Amino acid sequence: MIADLQPYLPYLLPPLLGAFIGYVTNYIAIRMLFRPLRPWRILGVRVPMTPGIIPAKRHELAARMGEMVGSHLLTGEDVGRALEKDVFRREIKDAVGDKLDRFLERELGPLEQLVPGDFRPRFRELVELLRWKLLKAVFAYLDGEAFAGRLRELLRRKGDAWLARDLESFLTPERYVRLRSHLDERISAFLQSPAMARAVEQFIDAKIEEWISSQATLRELLPADLIEVIVAQLDKEVPPLLEKFGGLFYDPDFRTRLVIKGRQAIEAFLDSLGGLSGLLGGFINLEKLYGRIPEFLDKAGDEIARWLKEDKTQEQVAQLLRGRIEALLDRPLASYLEKVPYEKVAGARRFVRAKAVEYVRSRRASEAALGLAERGIERLKDRSFASLLDKVLPAGGLEQGREALHERILAALRSAEAREILAQVLEEKTEDWLFRKPLGRLSARVPADVREELSEGLCRQLGELLKKEVPPLVETLNVQRMVEEKVNSLELLKVEGLLMGIMKEQFKYINLFGALLGFLIGLINLLVLGLR
């Protein structure tokens, strides 16, 4: 078969040999870009073209690559334009929304746990510093004249508003019901308290002792209104009392007692006559006389009843009783007790004390006191608080009271006790809010619309921050320098692999192009030889 091709070999070998030479020379040329890695020396003389172009010019290559990337491929303007693209903003929005949702759905502990562990001691120191500065600022403000002036103005403004109101505007129907219930409870509790009972007992004992020791008459001891009421009531009670007395003659029990008393009176009268009683007994039938007593009572009862109903009789009885009462009122109380045993007086004291305490503790006394309070409120409800205080206080007392209130409040707020309490409260609250109380799930406290606004606000702030800060940051980072240093730090084999990975396909076509060019040169050479 070779013999058959031998006539054609002179025509085939030149193009094929040219193609082989072109391919090999291009391949060797490409390899010489990277190899050898280090210079070759023969007898101390460096062999030309060693090392390869890339190893020999790597620093220049790194500088050119850094310049290309830093000045043309990754500039601040390019980054800024990339940050303004809608795609990037959508990615930012999705990322922020996802991070925010996961953060809000977490069961968070105290605020301190959100701080990285390494910074928690510093966080606590910062809290202590801020708390100290806050207390110092508050105390300085409280000690200043500005606070005193504002406090005085506030008290005056609020005081004027309250003093201009009347009790009726303050006591709405609901408040009045609550006030009445509160007064009822307080009055009942006060009147039923052991202290009140002791006070009443001591008062009764003191007054009784004073009355007994005094030579003053009952008229002097008792109020004039009470005496007038007693006399007037006596005048009213005389007619029904006399009518009731006249009606007793028709009462069977009372008539029986009167008959018995009549018989006893007759018998006593006869016994008092001595010997004449027998003489009278012979002339008088006593049994018949005793039998006529009921008949006598019937006639006498009608006469007495009519007599007692007469106005003149009632007026005479009333005058007699009034005169008797007047005589009793003009006697000292001690005169009634001169012949009374001490035990009875003591018993009377105990009785009066017990009755007085019983009345004070009774519901009736509570209702009476509550009624007095209600009548007082009713009289005062249409008057302003200012008019009431002006009437109660001396001239200028209201202004003095307001100024005294201002001074007392200011002194209380500036006192060491108030500062200690404020510092303690602030310390307890910061410890509780920042270091003890868990935050829990913030999603349960943040409404959906607020969450959406928060997400949009964070996205907007993050976008503006990136747009403002990233381009200058890119310029500050000196990308050109970073790329140059990175390329210089790479091993030569890695640089070769990096370039070969990028240009392997192009190098293959360069080799094939060299073969094609050698093939064409061989054909041209063949044609030239043929023409000769």
Side-chain angles (χ1 to χ4, degrees), residues 271-302:
D271 290 340
S272 65
L273 295 177
L276 294 178
S277 60
L279 179 62
L280 290 176
F283 292 99
I284 300 175
N285 189 350
L286 294 179
E287 292 299 330
K288 187 176 181 179
L289 180 61
Y290 293 155
R292 297 292 298 274
I293 292 177
E295 182 180 351
F296 170 76
L297 289 178
D298 290 337
K299 295 180 179 180
D302 294 337

Side-chain angles (χ1 to χ4, degrees), residues 40 47 115 136 142 169 219 232 246 436 474 478 528:
W40 291 354
V47 178
V115 180
K136 184 178 179 181
L142 291 177
S169 66
R219 188 185 302 277
R436 298 195 192 102
V474 171
N478 196 350
V528 171

Side-chain angles (χ1 to χ4, degrees), residues 115 119-134 434-435:
V115 180
F119 294 96
R120 288 179 185 177
R122 291 293 184 183
F123 176 72
R124 182 172 287 274
E125 292 177 2
L126 178 62
V127 171
E128 293 293 335
L129 178 62
L130 293 177
R131 183 170 61 199
W132 178 78
K133 287 185 175 293
L134 177 60
L434 301 180
F435 303 104

Side-chain angles (χ1 to χ4, degrees), residues 176-440:
Y176 182 78
V177 171
R178 292 198 298 269
L179 175 62
R180 189 181 187 282
S181 176
H182 177 72
L183 287 177
D184 191 9
E185 292 177 2
R186 299 300 297 176
I187 291 174
S188 298
F190 175 70
L191 294 179
Q192 295 177 9
S193 63
M196 187 62 180
R198 289 192 298 269
V200 171
E201 291 175 351
Q202 293 173 1
F203 176 78
I204 294 297
D205 286 341
K207 294 305 282 185
I208 291 177
E209 186 65 30
E210 179 184 350
W211 290 348
I212 292 175
S213 303
S214 174
Q215 293 300 318
T217 63
L218 290 177
R219 188 185 302 277
E220 295 173 349
L221 296 176
L222 297 177
D225 295 338
L226 178 59
I227 295 175
E228 184 178 351
V229 170
I230 293 175
V231 173
Q233 189 65 29
L234 180 62
D235 292 338
K236 293 180 182 179
E237 294 296 333
V238 167
L241 181 63
L242 293 178
E243 183 178 356
K244 187 175 181 181
F245 178 72
L248 289 176
F249 287 97
Y250 302 99
D251 184 14
D253 294 336
F254 185 73
R255 289 169 63 88
T256 301
R257 291 197 298 271
L258 283 179
V259 170
I260 295 173
K261 292 295 183 180
R263 293 185 64 173
Q264 291 175 354
I266 294 172
E267 291 174 355
F269 174 73
L270 293 176
D271 290 340
S272 65
L273 295 177
L276 294 178
S277 60
L279 179 62
L280 290 176
F283 292 99
I284 300 175
N285 189 350
L286 294 179
E287 292 299 330
K288 187 176 181 179
L289 180 61
Y290 293 155
R292 297 292 298 274
I293 292 177
E295 182 180 351
F296 170 76
L297 289 178
D298 290 337
K299 295 180 179 180
D302 294 337
E303 292 294 333
I304 291 173
R306 284 194 300 271
W307 178 70
L308 292 177
K309 290 181 179 179
E310 293 179 358
D311 294 339
K312 183 178 180 180
T313 304
Q314 294 179 357
E315 180 64 27
Q316 290 176 347
V317 173
Q319 289 179 357
L320 290 174
L321 292 177
R322 193 180 303 114
R324 184 59 180 168
I325 291 177
E326 293 289 340
L328 294 175
L329 291 174
D330 290 333
R331 290 178 57 185
L333 178 61
S335 64
Y336 294 97
L337 303 177
E338 289 176 351
K339 298 180 180 181
V340 179
Y342 176 78
E343 292 76 8
K344 291 187 177 182
V345 175
R349 281 188 176 184
R350 289 192 296 270
F351 175 78
V352 173
R353 284 202 307 264
K355 287 299 181 180
V357 171
E358 180 182 355
Y359 174 76
V360 170
R361 289 185 168 182
S362 65
R363 181 60 189 168
R364 184 177 177 184
S366 299
E367 291 178 351
L370 182 61
L372 290 175
E374 289 180 334
R375 287 192 292 272
I377 293 174
E378 188 67 24
R379 289 195 302 269
L380 301 177
K381 68 178 184 179
D382 296 331
R383 301 180 59 182
S384 65
F385 293 122
S387 63
L388 295 176
L389 292 176
D390 284 336
K391 185 175 181 180
V392 174
L393 298 175
L398 182 57
E399 288 299 325
Q400 293 177 4
R402 297 174 72 168
E403 187 63 26
L405 177 63
H406 169 264
E407 294 298 332
R408 292 177 72 88
I409 293 177
L410 189 62
L413 293 175
R414 290 176 173 178
S415 63
E417 294 80 0
R419 299 190 177 196
E420 182 179 354
I421 292 174
L422 179 60
Q424 183 178 359
V425 170
L426 185 60
E427 181 180 1
E428 292 175 355
K429 291 302 182 181
T430 53
E431 285 291 329
D432 185 46
W433 293 340
L434 301 180
F435 303 104
R436 298 195 192 102
K437 187 176 181 179
L439 298 175

